[in-house]
Amino acid sequence: DIQMTQSPSSLSASVGDRVTITCRASQGISNYLAWYQQKPGKVPKLLIYAASTLQSGVPSRFSGSGSGTDFTLTISSLQPEDVATYYCQKYNSAPLTFGQGTKLEIK
Amino acid sequence: EVQLVESGGGLVQPGGSLKLSCAASGFTFSGSAMHWVRQASGKGLEWVGRIRSKANSYATAYAASVKGRFTISRDDSKNTAYLQMNSLKTEDTAVYYCTRLAYYYGSGSYSPGGMDVWGQGTTVTVSS
């Protein structure tokens, strides 16, 4: 099975900072990669699919890139409401594995 | 409004069984692949399994951790998906989410696009 590895596991940044989270697949998955945001006590929310397509209603400060094995989620200017745990997920074939998550906090 | 509502969670002893339901509304349930995802307290998301549509032969797939113990089914006439959990272990304790794999149209065909609709989750506790 393909493993998904996110880094870092946690990070702290200041409001306005550019934040980057990476996700690496153990084998190529083309662009079948999604990013989710889960705020404390809330249900996960789809941010990006097909590696770089922004889900409707998601702020444009979020962006995704990558293909094959290496992917990136970028927040261009961190806002207080972005405090959450972020997960990547491959969905090219079962099992639809999630990364272990990146917990983002405000410094 | 597009919505998924899970039910059926509760406390069960190790070795016991439980059946979760996921009622869908606001979209064409019969054409959708439905997935179950779980999350233990303070832990990450874990994909449990999925069932495809009738057009895709209701094909199922499961995570290795639940294969042979869990079964996913659906009743399109009731717009409901199910997760039958047998031989439950303490490590199955989690919030269980029902979710839909979205499809989008691009470059002349439909492609999967991530899980865009989630239920609120139902809690399963396996403990003696």
Side-chain angles (χ1 to χ4, degrees), chain A residues 36 38 43 49 89 91 95-96, chain B residues 35 39 47 104 112-113 115 118:
Chain A
Y36 301 88
Q38 187 178 32
V43 174
Y49 62 92
Q89 182 198 30
Y91 57 85
L96 278 66
Chain B
H35 295 246
Q39 186 172 36
W47 179 81
Y104 68 96
M115 296 173 176
W118 295 68

Side-chain angles (χ1 to χ4, degrees), chain A residues 3-4 8 11 13 35 41 44 65 71 77 83 85-87 91 99 101:
Chain A
Q3 306 303 314
M4 305 300 293
L11 77 139
W35 289 96
S65 64
F71 303 88
S77 178
V83 169
T85 300
Y86 293 83
Y87 297 91
Y91 57 85

Side-chain angles (χ1 to χ4, degrees), chain B residues 21-57:
Chain B
S21 299
C22 169
S25 59
F27 65 96
T28 305
F29 176 80
S30 61
S32 299
M34 300 303 298
H35 295 246
W36 289 90
V37 173
R38 68 184 181 182
Q39 186 172 36
S41 181
K43 302 298 184 182
L45 301 172
E46 180 185 15
W47 179 81
V48 173
R50 59 94 166 131
I51 184 166
R52 287 178 165 164
S53 65
K54 181 179 181 180
N56 291 286
S57 305

Side-chain angles (χ1 to χ4, degrees), chain A residues 9-30:
Chain A
S9 296
S10 64
L11 77 139
S12 181
S14 300
V15 172
D17 281 355
R18 183 181 183 88
V19 171
T20 298
I21 299 169
T22 64
C23 179
R24 174 164 289 177
S26 59
Q27 297 176 42
I29 58 170
S30 184

Side-chain angles (χ1 to χ4, degrees), chain B residues 61-119:
Chain B
Y62 301 93
S65 58
V66 307
K67 195 170 186 179
R69 300 187 299 122
F70 288 13
T71 302
I72 298 174
S73 60
R74 63 191 296 160
D75 185 339
D76 290 344
S77 69
K78 296 182 178 179
N79 286 349
T80 301
Y82 304 96
L83 177 63
Q84 175 69 48
M85 303 183 293
N86 298 331
S87 303
L88 281 161
K89 306 175 182 180
T90 55
E91 53 263 40
D92 294 319
T93 295
V95 175
Y96 284 74
Y97 296 103
C98 171
T99 179
R100 174 185 81 170
L101 184 67
Y103 280 79
Y104 68 96
Y105 188 81
S107 303
S109 64
Y110 283 94
S111 299
M115 296 173 176
D116 67 334
V117 182
W118 295 68

